[in-house]
Amino acid sequence: MSKQLPAKVDMEKIVSLCRRRGFIFPSSEIYGGLSSCWDYGPLGVELKRNIKQAWWQAVVHERDDVVGLDASILMHPQVWVASGHLEGFTDPLVECKSCHLRWRVDDLKDNKCPSCGGELTEPRLFNLMFKTFMGPIEDSASVVYLRPETAQGMFVNFENVVNTTRKRLPFGIAQIGKAFRNEITTGNFIFRSREFEQMEIEFFVKSGTDKEWFDYWVKERLNWYINLGIKKDNLRLRQHMKKELAHYALDCYDIEYLFPMGWAELEGIANRGDFDLVQHAKYSGKSLEYFDDETKEHYVPYVIEPSAGVDRSALAVLCDAYDEELDNGEIRVLLHLHPTLAPIKVAVLPLSRRGPLVQVAKQIYADLRQCWIVQYDDAQSIGRRYRRQDEIGTPFCVTIDFQSLEDNQATIRERDSMNQIRVPVSTLKTVLAAKFSGEPLFVLPPGGQIWKGGENG
Ligand code: ATP
């Protein structure tokens, strides 16, 4: 019997597992790394893709009122004048080491954070945006910025989307992409990095309906995390205080997760009013009004923005899934990843590396990988192979043993319970598909049986 161990998730263990198993590496590691930049390894890239796919599925493919966009990272420099990013980040700034709010030095009365009283960093002339040059000449006329958020790409394409999709309000634009911020304080692994990925929606509504839609999106987004298996107790909503609100925001909630270092923002949902479209209309000279053909009115829509981080979601998913159990006197490390997010869905494990068993196992492998991402592993003892798969969160292992050659059956072993069933090889695909859809392990196909062979049998 396995037994729960006391509280065990800490950042060091997560970093070490990610490193050891190929989820996440420090960027440019052979050169000593690059501060707060990270590379996603073979498993990390799958995890991240699954998170993005789950988000896209929920907010674009399963809805009639949201369409996708992939805007370029480099945008016209005026975008950042209109958005307020250029002006807002060029003063000498200090940052609070605990709440991360940034302050202009000239606004400070003493050397403490005006919001929480925390310790402040040294002042720096700071522009949050990474600057580069477009074309062969490095002069001020050719300056462009790496976008610090994906949002502006959606605002500047508002009219293009309305005209080409004939979407009527309320509707949204969704985008996933890289964003870059020259953060003053970084750290906590992938929680705060200088290059990261965002998943953002700009949902355009008529003013007056904005509060209702704001509440809707707060609930919708919180449920998305819960549906992906994140424990409810580790999630909470925090409304921004008036003084905390960004210059554009009428209201804002953070969805916070209980990370190993404490509660911190996972996603922000803001009511941005009409700030962005009004600003872009002013700076571009183009009207960004919407014509409501029902009421025959022209108006600038309000915007509700759910803005999530892919990397922070990945970190929350990993922390939430991490577990240690005592099993036969040894610690079994496992990730209880939701099957939708698990990088590898099924592992095929032949008991021997030689002989006719290999042929059967390879055939099963070829068959299953038509449906899922499957790993074939024949190195070391079966017990160690199970542990490896547990540690990377693989929901099911399919084991082929010598008896398989006679009865044409294989064993399915479930990650969390370590329970096993034995089923005809011909039913493997349908049985696994049913288990992925939530069918209990012990619901058996014809000819199937509960397997008592044990972990190493
Ligand atoms: P924080 O207060 O933690 O700096 P923020 O309020 O500046 O975050 P937003 O501008 O609201 O963040 O960005 C939306 C989302 O993008 C955040 O909720 C987070 O998930 C992600 N994000 C923002 N900055 C970073 C970063 N430096 N590294 C990783 N993810 C980030």
Side-chain angles (χ1 to χ4, degrees):
M1 267 305 272
S2 59
K3 204 170 95 204
Q4 287 299 118
L5 292 173
K8 53 243 149 181
V9 191
D10 65 45
M11 199 65 98
E12 229 170 277
K13 287 182 183 175
I14 299 292
V15 175
S16 153
L17 186 145
C18 285
R19 177 89 198 71
R20 195 167 69 242
R21 292 295 180 206
F23 279 93
I24 300 164
F25 310 119
S27 161
S28 328
E29 197 178 9
I30 58 167
Y31 290 98
L34 179 66
S35 166
S36 70
C37 293
W38 301 94
D39 295 346
Y40 285 76
L43 294 179
V45 73
E46 297 296 343
L47 173 67
K48 217 155 72 129
R49 278 167 61 107
N50 292 341
I51 290 171
K52 290 188 275 187
Q53 178 52 33
W55 185 87
W56 197 260
Q57 178 76 20
V59 309
V60 180
H61 288 168
E62 288 177 8
R63 302 184 65 103
D64 291 328
D65 57 359
V66 179
V67 291
L69 184 82
D70 186 10
S72 69
I73 287 174
L74 300 175
M75 302 180 76
H76 195 290
Q78 279 298 99
V79 167
W80 309 113
V81 179
S83 70
H85 282 88
L86 205 55
E87 192 196 349
F89 295 111
T90 46
D91 293 275
L93 295 184
V94 289
E95 186 174 305
C96 173
K97 287 183 182 170
S98 52
C99 74
H100 300 295
L101 287 177
R102 298 188 190 96
W103 308 96
R104 288 160 196 247
V105 178
D106 26 301
D107 287 347
L108 293 173
K109 289 198 183 66
D110 52 25
N111 209 22
K112 295 229 167 69
C113 170
S115 172
C116 73
E119 198 188 333
L120 299 169
T121 58
E122 286 299 308
R124 283 186 54 187
L125 231 203
F126 210 78
N127 192 315
L128 186 79
M129 289 193 291
F130 282 95
K131 199 192 270 188
T132 186
F133 300 93
M134 200 159 213
I137 301 165
E138 292 195 4
D139 62 12
S140 58
S142 58
V143 166
V144 287
Y145 300 91
L146 302 189
R147 66 181 177 201
E149 59 177 31
T150 63
Q152 300 304 322
M154 293 180 269
F155 297 128
V156 301
N157 278 293
F158 170 70
E159 216 189 12
N160 284 338
V161 173
V162 172
N163 291 341
T164 52
T165 63
R166 284 177 288 114
K167 286 277 170 212
R168 311 315 298 158
L169 249 54
F171 82 91
I173 307 178
Q175 177 166 222
I176 300 176
K178 289 266 181 168
F180 304 81
R181 293 183 191 177
N182 202 358
E183 300 275 6
I184 307 181
T185 47
T186 54
N188 287 320
F189 196 28
I190 52 172
F191 178 82
R192 188 182 303 283
S193 43
R194 295 199 165 102
E195 173 179 341
F196 55 97
E197 258 182 300
Q198 291 187 312
M199 306 182 282
E200 295 195 298
I201 307 164
E202 306 304 332
F203 198 79
F204 301 94
V205 304
K206 186 176 185 182
S207 74
T209 65
D210 50 309
K211 288 195 176 62
E212 203 181 306
W213 278 108
F214 179 68
D215 292 346
Y216 167 86
W217 276 109
V218 171
K219 284 197 199 95
E220 192 71 9
R221 293 301 307 141
L222 181 65
N223 283 335
W224 184 75
Y225 293 101
I226 294 169
N227 291 339
L228 283 180
I230 301 219
K231 297 176 198 83
K232 269 189 191 160
D233 287 351
N234 290 340
L235 289 165
R236 74 175 186 193
L237 290 172
R238 189 181 70 80
Q239 187 173 21
H240 281 209
M241 291 176 290
K242 278 260 163 334
K243 60 178 182 186
E244 254 186 289
L245 288 173
H247 59 282
Y248 52 75
L250 302 176
D251 200 354
C252 185
Y253 270 95
D254 282 348
I255 298 177
E256 294 189 333
Y257 179 76
L258 186 54
F259 288 100
M261 69 283 185
W263 289 100
E265 177 180 338
L266 190 54
E267 168 162 354
I269 298 128
N271 181 346
R272 297 179 75 118
D274 60 4
F275 176 82
D276 304 274
L277 292 180
V278 165
Q279 285 292 101
H280 285 303
K282 184 170 145 196
Y283 281 85
S284 67
K286 303 271 183 327
S287 164
L288 295 177
E289 282 188 340
Y290 170 81
F291 177 64
D292 190 328
D293 30 22
E294 268 175 31
T295 62
K296 309 290 177 216
E297 288 170 281
H298 287 271
Y299 55 82
V300 179
Y302 272 32
V303 176
I304 308 301
E305 178 194 70
S307 172
V310 179
D311 313 79
R312 282 192 198 174
S313 296
L315 184 59
V317 160
L318 288 165
C319 293
D320 215 69
Y322 185 90
D323 202 2
E324 291 171 2
E325 284 180 0
L326 265 185
D327 180 49
N328 287 328
E330 279 186 23
I331 291 179
R332 176 170 91 110
V333 174
L334 72 159
L335 292 180
H336 296 284
L337 290 176
H338 190 287
T340 307
L341 301 181
I344 308 292
K345 311 294 183 201
V346 183
V348 171
L349 315 176
L351 219 57
S352 159
R353 302 183 92 164
R354 279 175 284 280
L357 217 144
V358 174
Q359 222 178 332
V360 176
K362 285 263 156 100
Q363 185 55 50
I364 291 173
Y365 175 50
D367 237 33
L368 296 182
R369 66 197 297 208
Q370 289 174 354
C371 307
W372 301 285
I373 298 183
V374 184
Q375 199 170 70
Y376 187 89
D377 186 2
D378 60 4
Q380 299 179 310
S381 77
I382 190 74
R384 295 191 67 164
R385 282 183 264 168
Y386 281 146
R387 293 294 170 272
R388 262 205 299 273
Q389 297 300 331
D390 291 340
E391 232 187 358
I392 64 172
T394 307
F396 296 106
C397 291
V398 171
T399 312
I400 297 96
D401 54 26
F402 294 102
Q403 206 182 316
S404 304
L405 296 175
E406 285 154 33
D407 63 8
N408 220 3
Q409 295 214 337
T411 307
I412 298 177
R413 180 240 194 212
E414 189 186 56
R415 175 196 65 205
D416 295 351
S417 64
M418 296 191 280
N419 286 330
Q420 302 185 23
I421 58 173
R422 203 163 162 85
V423 303
V425 168
S426 59
T427 66
L428 271 174
K429 255 194 210 168
T430 44
V431 170
L432 283 167
K435 305 306 170 205
F436 279 124
S437 315
E439 184 186 80
L441 185 73
F442 291 141
V443 175
L444 300 167
Q449 53 183 305
I450 296 172
W451 187 244
K452 309 269 190 220
E455 281 276 278
N456 304 315

